Amino acid sequence: MQSNPLLFPSKPHYEILDGLRGVAALIVVAYHLFEIYAVEPYYTVPIINHGYLAVDFFFVLSGFVIGYAYDDRWGKMTMKDFFKRRVIRLQPMVVLGAVIGAICYYFGDGTMFPHIGETPVWLLLLVMLAGCLLLPTAVPIRQPWNEMFPLNGPAWSLFYEYIANILYAVGLRRLSKRWLTVFVLLAGLLIVGQAIGSEAGSIMGGHELTGNHVRLGLTRVLYPFFCGLLLFRMGRLIRLRGGFWLCSLFLALLLFFPRPEVSWQNGLYECVAILVLFPLIVLTGAGSPIRGRFSVSVCKFLGDISFPLYIIHYPIAYLFYAYVAERKLTIGESWPLMLAVGVGCVLLAYAALKLYDEPVRQWLRNRFLRHKAN
């Protein structure tokens, strides 16, 4: 009898990193609810001016956690095993997000998205199927926006996270710390070139299936993800008392920071945040102790709902946009509804976690990862 190589003992979580992921997810929800009031020329969202940088923070977290979870398993784990585990972890909620997006789609017809009523059901179902499989599409069913996932916009970041996972598994995991450092530095130059060198002075983008946005998506994932991997391998963590609360406050300040009027200054700010400050937050979160039942409970709850909240809230935000645009509501008029939508998204995420995500992932693990030994 040979033991099953797919059965690995569970590793303890970095509770503070889980909590920080949840904090970032909450800020993303707030950012997207305020997005209806974004102003040009640089699509600046009021109050939560840099909320889009939460995606780059997520990528740093993901790289660190992937290194922690899988670096020492290669040799006992095949590439197929790795991809099975990643698909089981991510894909159930991706599917639910696409289905919720399709259900919400027609309810958003109106001033904001006037072409929804013209979309045939067969085309909607086709786009939903592509969303369930995380296949980007250029089908313009949500004009005037041209998102690669028009039923659930934030799925674009999961698409690029999958790409980073593939690059890690196929070859980059084999890089020594020295060569991984070189790769990360080169990827950082892409961030600098985009943030400071572009007319907008921003790294914002990646959600459309166009050459410029695809380049932006790859630029946004390569440095943060593999920087996170490098941080794990270096093992030099920062210990700070009250680390979760201080890191949460600092992260929120970074994402709420007002946009400088001069483009290159905003680009410089984004570079500092992505290249330096987000990695420092991750190192502090990973290295700091967490004490007290309340702090532990908060981190666990926020970590549990973080991914469901991120991947299912945007279809509901579309409905909020449609309602606000139809009635031409100001922030002062819409904030009670905005708050109710945000709370509703959290409750829906928790329900999705307990009633769908956890049971489905458990079934998939039992079905595909726990084969009988020969």
Side-chain angles (χ1 to χ4, degrees):
M1 298 286 288
Q2 192 174 21
S3 62
N4 182 3
L6 298 183
L7 290 176
F8 299 111
S10 297
K11 294 184 177 182
H13 290 279
Y14 283 102
E15 293 95 340
I16 292 180
L17 295 187
D18 289 343
L20 291 175
R21 183 183 290 107
V23 170
L26 289 173
I27 293 175
V28 167
V29 173
Y31 173 80
H32 283 152
L33 292 177
F34 277 104
E35 193 176 12
I36 185 64
Y37 299 105
V39 295
E40 299 295 350
Y42 300 124
Y43 201 74
T44 304
V45 173
I47 302 176
I48 313 174
N49 301 273
H50 288 93
Y52 53 91
L53 294 181
V55 170
D56 307 271
F57 179 70
F58 286 139
F59 286 150
V60 181
L61 279 174
S62 294
F64 186 94
V65 171
I66 286 293
Y68 171 67
Y70 296 106
D71 258 8
D72 62 352
R73 289 178 172 176
W74 295 103
K76 299 176 291 183
M77 175 184 68
T78 66
M79 199 176 299
K80 181 179 179 181
D81 301 334
F82 172 78
F83 289 126
K84 277 185 181 180
R85 289 177 173 274
R86 298 311 295 152
V87 169
I88 289 172
R89 176 64 185 93
L90 300 175
Q91 206 62 28
M93 284 308 307
V94 170
V95 171
L96 184 61
V99 172
I100 292 175
I103 293 172
C104 292
Y105 180 73
Y106 273 117
F107 293 99
D109 189 20
T111 303
M112 186 77 182
F113 305 110
H115 298 280
I116 286 180
E118 304 170 4
T119 304
V121 172
W122 68 265
L123 182 57
L124 174 61
L125 293 176
L126 185 63
V127 173
M128 183 188 76
L129 177 61
C132 289
L133 298 174
L134 207 62
L135 297 175
T137 175
V139 180
I141 68 169
R142 193 180 289 281
Q143 298 179 27
W145 298 353
N146 296 300
E147 297 165 297
M148 64 167 68
F149 295 100
L151 299 179
N152 191 15
W156 74 268
S157 63
L158 270 295
F159 173 74
Y160 286 105
E161 177 148 340
Y162 266 125
I163 290 177
N165 277 249
I166 292 170
L167 292 175
Y168 165 77
V170 170
L172 293 184
R173 63 182 172 85
R174 297 186 176 91
L175 292 180
S176 66
K177 281 194 289 187
R178 175 178 297 179
W179 284 109
L180 183 59
T181 301
V182 172
F183 180 87
V184 168
L185 289 175
L186 292 176
L189 292 179
L190 296 178
I191 296 282
V192 174
Q194 172 61 37
I196 297 180
S198 65
E199 180 181 351
S202 177
I203 200 72
M204 181 190 292
H207 54 277
E208 295 183 16
L209 196 59
T210 63
N212 183 53
H213 277 269
V214 170
R215 178 177 58 81
L216 264 172
L218 291 173
T219 297
R220 292 186 71 177
V221 76
L222 288 178
Y223 174 84
F225 186 91
F226 290 101
C227 175
L229 178 63
L230 179 61
L231 294 177
F232 165 73
R233 291 184 177 178
M234 292 173 62
R236 298 179 180 177
L237 305 180
I238 300 172
R239 185 179 178 88
L240 190 64
R241 186 174 182 179
F244 168 65
W245 302 104
L246 292 174
C247 286
S248 296
L249 176 61
F250 190 40
L251 177 62
L253 290 174
L254 289 175
L255 299 181
F256 278 69
F257 191 81
R259 178 189 168 97
E261 293 184 3
V262 181
S263 293
W264 72 264
Q265 292 176 352
N266 185 72
L268 180 61
Y269 174 79
E270 293 187 8
C271 286
V272 173
I274 297 170
L275 300 180
V276 180
L277 300 181
F278 288 166
L280 287 177
I281 292 174
V282 170
L283 287 177
T284 304
S288 298
I290 181 168
R291 298 186 179 92
R293 183 176 301 177
F294 178 73
S295 295
V296 172
S297 298
V298 169
C299 285
K300 184 181 186 309
F301 175 76
L302 291 175
D304 286 347
I305 68 165
S306 59
F307 183 50
L309 180 61
Y310 179 77
I311 204 63
I312 68 173
H313 77 278
Y314 210 57
I316 301 167
Y318 289 132
L319 297 179
F320 174 75
Y321 298 160
Y323 184 88
V324 169
E326 196 72 32
R327 290 156 181 78
K328 299 180 180 179
L329 301 178
T330 65
I331 293 180
E333 294 168 328
S334 69
W335 74 262
L337 177 60
M338 191 184 299
L339 180 61
V341 169
V343 172
C345 287
V346 172
L347 295 176
L348 179 61
Y350 187 76
L353 172 75
K354 294 301 180 181
L355 301 177
Y356 168 77
D357 188 38
E358 289 182 344
V360 168
R361 284 193 284 129
Q362 186 60 52
W363 182 86
L364 291 171
R365 284 193 293 267
N366 292 338
R367 176 67 178 82
F368 294 103
L369 296 181
R370 295 183 178 179
H371 305 302
K372 291 182 180 180
N374 294 324

